[in-house]
Amino acid sequence: MAQLHAVRVGEPVRLAPERAVETMPEMWAPPVRNMVDAVRLVAEAWPLIVEECRSALGGELHYQAMAYHCLRRAGLPATQLGMNVKQWIDAPATPLFRALDSRKEAGFRGGFEPIPDIVIFRPAIGGDWRRRNRQATLRHMLVAIEVKASERAGGRLRAGEIIRDIRKLAAHRDELRHRGGDVHPMMMVIDTAPLADERMPAAKLKLARAAAQAQGVGFLHVSPTTTCMELAMVLPEEKPVQFAFDFMMG
């Protein structure tokens, strides 16, 4: 008979409130109340996102989680940050979303369900982005981010798929504006594959970047040697953002 060994489980460590604040200051971060401050927070988190994403290789969900972690470290409350949030747009107004709706089976038409990778919300969302709350998550968005990564089996990240996501981001923003709201969309490209022939060629990257500029979508890109951040928004001069890049494209 196998011999059994007793294992003693210690009490969990409980930090005094003042010590907990020192250890995890982001948990007590003040709310982000408007789109400009939300965009600024993304800009402030970007150098850390670059550092983290260069430190490990993974797929898109892995990098989404890294970006989420860095946004929290930059001071965004957990109750304002969601991942893969399901929403619902009744009777789409934009040509793109109408076209996507029309491709569905007849009994399922009448709306479109975008699912942004990462979203910064207004405080009013109260940390509730369940599917049953998808109308509120649509209304309270401040920033929507799509993440693309260079992890491809036998291939590389293509400009076409990035441009398709850029168009979806722009359409998502326009749907909100049609309903009296607004959101600032951003495309985040994590192109950190170790081999040059696994990453996007410069010409293809230029096409994707130009598409973002044309649509008014923010564009963030990181490779092992370069970074690029174009916010597509002018931030007030009284609150400058500090940038830390190895190289700024163009």
Side-chain angles (χ1 to χ4, degrees):
M1 178 180 295
Q3 185 176 1
L4 300 179
H5 297 275
V7 178
R8 177 173 295 179
V9 179
E11 285 294 318
V13 176
R14 303 184 185 278
L15 296 177
E18 63 275 10
R19 177 58 182 151
V21 171
E22 292 174 4
T23 306
M24 297 181 294
E26 68 271 15
M27 300 300 289
W28 284 266
V32 176
R33 300 190 179 278
N34 58 63
M35 190 185 301
V36 170
D37 285 346
V39 172
R40 185 187 312 283
L41 192 143
V42 174
E44 292 172 349
W46 179 239
L48 182 57
I49 293 172
V50 168
E51 179 182 351
E52 291 284 297
C53 290
R54 284 176 173 168
S55 69
L57 297 172
E60 286 178 2
L61 288 175
H62 173 80
Y63 292 119
Q64 287 178 33
M66 279 189 157
Y68 178 100
H69 167 73
C70 294
L71 288 166
R72 291 280 287 118
R73 289 285 304 276
L76 188 62
T79 54
Q80 289 186 248
L81 184 62
M83 287 179 60
N84 300 307
V85 178
K86 292 179 172 63
Q87 301 177 337
W88 182 252
I89 295 177
D90 287 307
T94 60
L96 177 59
F97 281 9
R98 286 202 304 268
L100 292 172
D101 181 38
S102 69
R103 296 176 188 174
K104 296 185 291 187
E105 294 293 332
F108 296 92
R109 295 174 188 167
F112 183 71
E113 184 181 63
I115 309 174
D117 290 338
I118 300 173
V119 181
I120 300 176
F121 295 95
R122 292 184 176 86
I125 197 64
D128 184 355
W129 29 83
R130 295 170 296 173
R131 192 166 192 160
R132 71 190 71 173
N133 202 34
R134 57 190 180 184
Q135 292 291 348
T137 59
L138 181 69
R139 183 172 64 254
H140 289 301
M141 284 197 301
L142 292 172
V143 169
I145 303 172
E146 287 294 320
V147 178
K148 283 294 183 188
S150 57
E151 176 57 27
R152 296 290 187 277
R156 64 173 77 188
L157 189 56
R158 299 181 181 276
E161 57 187 303
I162 295 175
I163 292 171
R164 282 194 295 273
D165 272 2
I166 287 171
R167 289 172 177 164
K168 286 182 181 179
L169 283 165
H172 202 166
R173 175 199 60 210
D174 294 346
E175 292 286 355
L176 261 69
R177 289 178 176 176
H178 178 75
R179 291 160 173 76
D182 205 357
V183 64
H184 190 67
M186 295 185 179
M187 185 77 238
M188 185 179 292
V189 181
I190 311 299
D191 198 18
T192 53
L195 301 178
D197 60 3
E198 294 179 340
R199 299 193 296 269
M200 292 183 70
K204 301 298 184 182
L205 179 60
K206 186 177 180 180
L207 287 176
R209 182 182 174 193
Q213 291 173 339
Q215 297 281 351
V217 173
F219 190 78
L220 302 96
H221 170 268
V222 54
S223 77
T225 58
T226 67
T227 61
C228 170
M229 178 171 64
E230 296 179 346
L231 300 178
M233 173 181 281
V234 178
L235 299 177
E237 293 182 359
E238 66 271 14
K239 293 182 180 180
V241 175
Q242 299 297 322
F243 300 118
F245 296 127
D246 296 325
F247 175 70
M248 185 68 172
M249 293 175 55

